[in-house]
Amino acid sequence: MTDHHQSTRGEPRVAIVTCADLPDLEPDDRLLLAPLAARGIAATVAAWDDPAVDWAAYDLVVLRSPWDYALRRDEFVAWADTVPRLVNPADVVRWNTDKRYLDELSAAQVPTVPTGWVAPGQPWTPPATGGEHVIKPAVSAGSQDTGRYDLADPEHRELALAHLRRLSDAGRVAMVQPYLSAVDTAGETALLFLAGPDGLAFSHAIRKGPMLTGPDLGPDGLYKAEEITPRTATPAQLAVAERVLAAVPGGTRRLLYARVDLIPGPDGTPVLVELELTEPSLFLGYADGAPERLADAVVTHLARLPRPR
């Protein structure tokens, strides 16, 4: 646990939640610390699974980089249930850490990437039409255990089946999606929303370049490197993002942040790849004023919540 600012009597106390592998946060999240201090907020960085932390002592607990939760999701969700004044809240964490939420959003008429699910022990037959597909766990973070397969290639078909067997043997639900080729040219667009007085407000957008170059062959670290550049969101992207956020159970006023990841579909219109409400990179360093806007979002939530005694 790292105290970045010495607390004084009367200062709001905020815990910034990370994992043991990132005890001082990752560089982008560290950009939040100075704006919090400038607003008179004492920030402490702590790992979510550190038993020495008294989470109830904080005025607000902000999830940022607990990126090791994927293999311990039940433990992570149970922990979130015990934390008062957690943002985003524990019920949102439970819903959003299993990507089967995509089915709910699709049923709510949100345009999403078509997704199939393979439960542990369930047989899977590659589609006869072949084509490129992405396989990954329904519970994952940072593109861990994710691979891209050309199912017209016999070797790739075998590697895809081996990938699914690894996930099945680990008791994990797998998801299978068509690979949208536009990501190789247009890239993926992440739209970032931060809390304001009237709910979530659009802050900025970035472009993520293609990350998946081929099959997943086994463990490759906590997260994969990303090629990030600033991007101007289009009206069509913003419209889809608003539809996504309108379908979030419980509404968005409770949220500190949201990230909506979009890729052009086959006809060029944006479709949802993921809605990140638990521990997304917010890319604060890619937009002027973004760290300050997140600090203001923290202030907004502090004003809504009762202080601990």
Side-chain angles (χ1 to χ4, degrees):
M1 184 165 58
T2 304
D3 284 307
H4 282 270
H5 304 289
Q6 182 64 42
S7 178
T8 60
R9 185 176 180 85
E11 280 186 325
R13 299 183 66 218
V14 171
I16 309 296
V17 181
T18 185
C19 60
D21 288 327
L22 295 167
D24 291 309
L25 302 176
E26 54 98 19
D28 194 70
D29 280 336
R30 286 200 289 272
L31 298 175
L32 173 62
L33 299 174
L36 288 178
R39 287 155 178 77
I41 297 169
T44 298
V45 178
W48 70 272
D49 56 354
D50 182 348
V53 179
D54 178 8
W55 301 105
Y58 292 94
D59 299 290
L60 198 67
V61 178
V62 177
L63 287 167
R64 287 308 316 121
S65 49
W67 292 342
D68 60 354
Y69 79 87
L71 296 178
R72 304 159 62 193
R73 189 243 178 186
D74 289 348
E75 181 184 348
F76 181 64
V77 170
W79 166 81
D81 281 334
T82 70
V83 180
R85 298 173 293 278
L86 180 70
V87 285
N88 287 332
D91 64 303
V92 172
V93 170
R94 182 180 298 275
W95 180 76
N96 188 241
T97 50
D98 187 326
K99 293 181 176 63
R100 284 176 285 189
Y101 68 77
L102 289 169
D103 279 355
E104 293 184 40
L105 295 179
S106 179
Q109 306 304 309
V110 171
T112 62
V113 179
T115 306
W117 310 96
V118 185
Q122 178 182 341
W124 178 74
T125 302
T129 54
E132 288 196 292
H133 285 70
V134 173
I135 295 174
K136 59 184 174 181
V139 178
S140 65
S143 295
Q144 298 173 61
D145 304 305
T146 300
R148 171 182 172 181
Y149 302 89
D150 180 356
L151 297 180
D153 180 328
E155 182 181 0
H156 271 226
R157 290 167 76 92
E158 287 302 316
L159 288 170
L161 288 166
H163 187 173
L164 288 168
R165 281 195 298 270
R166 286 197 301 276
L167 295 177
S168 177
D169 290 347
R172 305 175 77 185
V173 174
M175 53 194 295
V176 182
Q177 299 174 318
Y179 184 78
L180 299 182
S181 60
V183 75
D184 293 328
T185 52
E188 184 175 325
T189 301
L191 289 84
L192 288 306
F193 293 79
L194 302 175
D198 301 317
L200 288 181
F202 176 68
S203 171
H204 58 287
I206 58 94
R207 175 190 184 275
K208 293 195 284 184
M211 295 175 58
L212 300 179
T213 58
D216 175 75
L217 301 176
D220 56 3
L222 188 62
Y223 57 92
K224 296 180 180 178
E226 297 178 311
E227 176 192 330
I228 307 298
T229 52
R231 168 165 275 178
T232 300
T234 68
Q237 290 169 337
L238 289 167
V240 170
E242 292 294 345
R243 289 174 63 185
V244 172
L245 295 174
V248 173
T252 58
R253 185 172 173 79
R254 302 180 302 149
L255 305 182
L256 179 67
Y257 50 68
R259 196 183 89 198
V260 181
D261 293 346
L262 305 174
I263 294 176
D267 64 356
T269 59
V271 297
L272 178 71
V273 182
E274 289 190 31
L275 169 62
E276 297 270 13
L277 302 179
T278 302
E279 34 62 49
S281 294
L282 297 176
F283 307 111
L284 300 176
Y286 292 87
D288 290 343
E292 289 74 21
R293 287 192 290 276
L294 181 55
D296 288 338
V298 169
V299 171
T300 294
H301 271 268
L302 284 167
R304 293 176 181 165
L305 296 170
R307 297 284 293 274
R309 295 182 179 181

